[in-house]
Amino acid sequence: MNKSVFNIQALYDHEDLMINHLKILRKKNINIHEVYSPFPIHNLNKLLELKKTNLSFLSFIYGFIGFFTASILTWYTMIYDWPQNIGGKPSYSWIHNLPSFIPVIFELSIFFSAHFMCITYLFQCKLFPGSTPKNPDPRTTDNMFLIEIHTEENAEKLRNFLKENGAMEVNITKIVQT
């Protein structure tokens, strides 16, 4: 049996108007699918009750991989493969030379963490090369705000409610789900 789901997109021209309207919609227990904005909005994740992401944990893991790689690299290059006597430091022990390796270890830890975090973020947001944009209205990248709502009933009633409360445009499309 096919079930009809309506996709309602309300477009706003001011951030405060959209935030106030989001609060009203949350009080009415209306399921908000997504919010599109040209810039980050403070506390929007709390208002939409979004889950915390794993990005901070992944950043630590990537930094640790960079630390481990830098440690192996400094040991291999300066102790095992090409030992040199620089400033009278012993060339047979990595731990005795550790203070001189700290800048390399620090920089590679930051390098790995930053670059892998960028790659992870791009893939998590599906922004990798060749992906199709999921933004329904290109005006939200310039100066407009959009609330996307998925509902199964009362689409016209919700449309009228959105228009009365300050939405510039309200578009309804029908999504057929099986």
Side-chain angles (χ1 to χ4, degrees), residues 12 21 158-170:
Y12 296 89
H21 210 194
L158 187 56
R159 176 188 187 156
N160 293 336
F161 174 74
L162 292 168
K163 277 295 244 187
E164 290 170 3
N165 286 315
M168 290 179 50
E169 286 181 31
V170 180

Side-chain angles (χ1 to χ4, degrees), residues 66-129:
F67 171 81
F68 184 72
T69 303
S71 299
I72 295 297
L73 177 71
T74 55
W75 169 82
Y76 179 75
T77 58
M78 297 301 290
I79 305 301
Y80 180 76
D81 187 41
W82 195 320
Q84 298 176 23
N85 186 353
I86 301 172
K89 293 179 182 156
S91 61
Y92 57 84
S93 172
W94 183 81
I95 198 72
H96 287 96
N97 289 319
L98 183 61
S100 62
F101 297 150
I102 286 183
V104 174
I105 293 171
F106 174 76
E107 290 298 330
L108 278 178
S109 297
I110 300 300
F111 179 84
F112 272 61
S113 182
H115 284 78
F116 284 125
M117 280 303 297
C118 286
I119 293 167
T120 301
Y121 179 76
L122 291 175
F123 272 93
Q124 187 173 2
C125 294
K126 297 180 178 80
L127 293 173
F128 45 86

